[in-house]
Amino acid sequence: MRRRITLLVAATTSLVLLAFLVPLALLVRDVAATRAMAATTVRAQSLAPVVATGDRKTVEVAVQQTRSWSDYPLTVLWPDGTTTGAAVQRDSAIELAARGRSLTVDTHGGQEILVAVQGGPGGTAVIRSFVSSRQLRHGVAQAWTILALLGVGLLAFGLLVADRLARSLVRQITALARLSHRLSRGDLDARVTVAGPSEIRDVGAGLNHLAARIGDLLARERESAADLSHRLRTPLTALRLEAEALRDPQEAERLTNSVDALERTVTQLIKQTRQPARHRSAGCDAAQIVADRVAFWSVLADEQDRKVQLTVPVGPVPTAVGGEELSACIDALLGNVFAHTPEGTALTVILEGPDPAVPGAPARLIVNDDGPGFARGDLLHRGTSTAASSGLGLDIARRTAESSGRTLRLGTSPAGGAQVLVELGTPP
């Protein structure tokens, strides 16, 4: 924008300067020529009274005096064909002037002025004065140089003013852009100083108001989600009491462990919803998270006679996704398998580390099952489901992948069932 404003001012100033300086330069040239012609005409006409007397000696003295202080050569052509002053050849213009007509003629190298002097002895005499092209342009080059320097100076001054103005505008617009980027990263405390033209001030004030409004709405949403999660503690407490009242110790321990896991999830959900997005943890060991969540679901898999196969790399697999977020993604994917495939359907969970030969390559989480596969192709839209469910499972997985700058893909497993591939970005 700064460059465009400067170019616009440069183009506009150049056109204005050309519109004024070009006619002014032509006028200076015409004035110089007119001044030279007027000066030599006056000198020729001032000699006419002396020529009219016919006193050639006086005329010769006058011509010599004029030559001593003037650069314009004078010649007097008498009716008998003789001349006084600079030698010239009679041509058609001189013959025309000898008939009593004064005129100005363009010749090679300049202009000649012919003044007819009538009433003298013997007929009409002609006074000839010559003005060269150099004399016609005397002082023009210097004047044009001054005009050119003046134009360049005005153009430079205009560009300087335009650059300062554009810089002030761009500075405010850049500040607005930085504010929008900070807001997009979750920094809702970011604000911009309202300054600049009225239009930019309106935009700055609007962005500040928008940031404050977004902060209020998100805070209200987090508190509502936290309150909703907190309400789950009451039924969880009742469920724990019922589990502890069971007569079978093993069954009671199993249900108590499940209730404890559910309570930890609710507690983590409360903490997560009450915490601003920019303060949430980032990065985790995907291998450890995947192994823990598969072990958690393996208990239910054993009850449903499902074969679960887990493949994870040896050693940590660092990712740019937080541990809670990755856990929610795995729970959503495995929960879909348990909810939408018949009991006894096998599943495979594979975690692949990033390719070391490719800089910035993602890690990949693959969940395959031996079920009927996906019946529709638009299941990644939030709320879309082929069964009686919320339709949020795949959307949670998709948002987990996108939060690390990657994507999620649906396909067909080697056994003909469903395959979900989640790419997980790695820390820089």
Side-chain angles (χ1 to χ4, degrees), residues 218-298:
L218 288 180
R220 187 178 304 174
E221 181 182 358
R222 286 195 298 268
E223 292 300 328
S224 299
D227 292 342
L228 180 61
S229 301
H230 188 73
R231 295 176 185 177
L232 294 177
R233 290 186 179 277
T234 300
L236 283 176
T237 302
L239 187 60
R240 176 187 296 277
L241 294 176
E242 292 184 4
E244 293 176 352
L246 293 176
R247 295 182 179 180
D248 187 352
Q250 294 182 352
E251 186 71 14
E253 183 180 2
R254 186 180 65 82
L255 288 179
T256 302
N257 292 336
S258 298
V259 171
D260 290 339
L262 182 58
E263 187 173 5
R264 286 194 299 269
T265 302
V266 171
T267 302
Q268 183 61 42
L269 180 61
I270 294 174
K271 292 180 180 180
Q272 185 175 358
T273 54
R274 295 179 64 92
Q275 188 178 27
R278 64 179 184 275
H279 293 154
R280 295 176 184 172
S281 61
C284 69
D285 179 9
Q288 180 64 41
I289 298 297
V290 171
D292 290 344
R293 299 318 300 166
V294 171
F296 174 80
W297 285 92
S298 296

Side-chain angles (χ1 to χ4, degrees), residues 7 26 30 126 159 190 227 259 294 311 323 336 346 384:
L7 291 177
L26 297 177
D30 294 340
V126 178
L159 292 179
D227 292 342
V259 171
V294 171
T311 302
N336 280 345
T384 302

Side-chain angles (χ1 to χ4, degrees), residues 60 74 96 112 121 125 135 145 161 181 191 214 219 238 243 245 263 280 317 326 332 360 371 395:
E60 184 175 357
L74 289 175
L96 181 61
E112 61 179 4
Q135 293 171 326
T145 301
V161 173
H181 292 320
R191 297 293 185 272
I214 292 175
E263 187 173 5
R280 295 176 184 172
V317 179
L326 182 58
D395 182 70

